Amino acid sequence: MARKWNSWRQRKRKVVAAFTPNDKFFYRAKEAGYRARSAFKLLEIQEKFRVFTKNQKVLDLWACPWSWLQVAKDNCPWWTFVWLDLQEIEPLEWISTYVCDVFSDKVWKILKENEWFMNFDVIMSDMAPKTMWIPDVDQYASVELNLEALEVMKKYLKPWWHGIFKVFRWEDFNDFWLEAKKIFPKMKTFKPKAVRPRSVEIYCIWKRI
Ligand SMILES: C[S@@+](CC[C@H](N)C(=O)[O-])C[C@H]1O[C@@H](n2cnc3c(N)ncnc32)[C@H](O)[C@@H]1O
């Protein structure tokens, strides 16, 4: 175990060294008024896969600080948005927001209570666990979160509509990928340019044909 722990610490040093918080996407996001640089990842996904059209109902899982919702809102002229995250944001007029941990029963309670309404055209999950900068540990947490997101999609995504997942691609990636492929057999992976080059982040996109 000591050896494994040492190798984790070495990898952590490498990953931290590779991290540049304020790159060009950070400044472009500031200029464009987006709340986070991750907006550009969704813009690239939209350009390539055209997930948003109009009249859509969108569920954003783990949405804080909601830059993805800014992009979704610009791309769906008629929309309804629902938002879930561990963190609170100031109330927004145009959206229903819920604060909850995906692993708690509260998520299912919220979804169940609003079941009449919870039938989505697009569900997106840009989740990221609180990183420890230890790839094996962070990636395992990422897979766990995505398996939960998959459960939500199984139940609340309209058949054959669009789903987006962010996963850390590492040793356990297949645990998620194989499970997701059972539901979304033609799911594709995509790494937007806005993802930092050394990052293990990858997006899995299910696009209705
Ligand atoms: C990368 S951020 C999402 C960024 C967002 N898509 C945007 O563009 O602004 C990931 C989010 O996942 C949330 N998160 C992480 N673990 C969670 C959990 N167990 N339950 C709910 N939300 C969680 C965090 O609070 C964080 O806000």
Side-chain angles (χ1 to χ4, degrees), residues 17-205:
F19 182 68
T20 339
N22 300 348
D23 63 357
K24 71 172 178 194
F25 289 105
F26 171 86
Y27 292 108
R28 279 176 61 190
K30 272 197 166 290
E31 249 173 59
Y34 289 123
R35 290 185 143 223
R37 63 188 289 299
S38 45
F40 290 99
K41 301 174 192 170
L42 189 58
L43 283 168
E44 283 179 61
I45 291 171
Q46 171 65 1
E47 198 178 306
K48 191 169 165 71
F49 295 93
R50 302 262 156 228
V51 283
F52 303 113
T53 49
K54 54 181 179 177
N55 295 325
Q56 284 179 320
K57 222 189 259 184
V58 179
L59 171 63
D60 195 2
L61 297 165
W62 353 126
C64 221
W66 60 272
S67 74
W68 272 30
L69 284 168
Q70 290 178 293
V71 174
K73 192 166 179 267
D74 290 345
N75 281 281
C76 306
W78 304 100
W79 36 258
T80 318
F81 293 121
V82 179
W83 172 99
L84 293 177
D85 201 286
L86 210 50
Q87 305 177 55
E88 267 186 77
I89 49 165
E90 73 266 30
L92 298 166
E93 272 170 23
W94 45 274
I95 192 167
S96 312
T97 64
Y98 301 94
V99 177
C100 52
D101 184 332
V102 66
F103 295 116
S104 71
D105 293 342
K106 193 173 163 191
V107 172
W108 294 103
K109 205 164 161 253
I110 291 166
L111 294 169
K112 180 96 191 134
E113 274 167 11
N114 297 285
E115 206 150 46
W116 60 274
F117 173 79
M118 300 283 177
N119 194 10
F120 294 98
D121 304 300
V122 182
I123 299 187
M124 45 196 194
S125 161
D126 187 30
M127 78 81 228
K130 201 167 169 3
T131 39
M132 299 184 53
W133 299 103
I134 301 172
D136 316 43
V137 176
D138 295 340
Q139 185 269 168
Y140 179 78
S142 160
V143 166
E144 290 291 295
L145 281 163
N146 275 291
L147 288 172
E148 285 300 311
L150 188 63
E151 289 305 310
V152 175
M153 292 207 200
K154 269 189 206 167
K155 200 153 169 34
Y156 294 105
L157 186 63
K158 279 184 193 165
W160 307 102
W161 280 79
H162 315 322
I164 306 172
F165 302 85
K166 173 169 80 186
V167 198
F168 295 172
R169 190 172 203 165
W170 203 261
E171 284 157 14
D172 298 322
F173 175 74
N174 265 355
D175 291 358
F176 166 74
W177 181 250
L178 296 177
E179 207 47 48
K181 289 281 257 186
K182 288 184 197 160
I183 323 290
F184 306 124
K186 291 192 179 156
M187 193 158 69
K188 298 206 161 82
T189 56
F190 177 56
K191 185 160 181 166
K193 291 193 188 75
V195 172
R196 295 173 209 282
R198 308 255 320 246
S199 167
V200 291
E201 221 176 90
I202 189 108
Y203 286 85
C204 300
I205 324 266

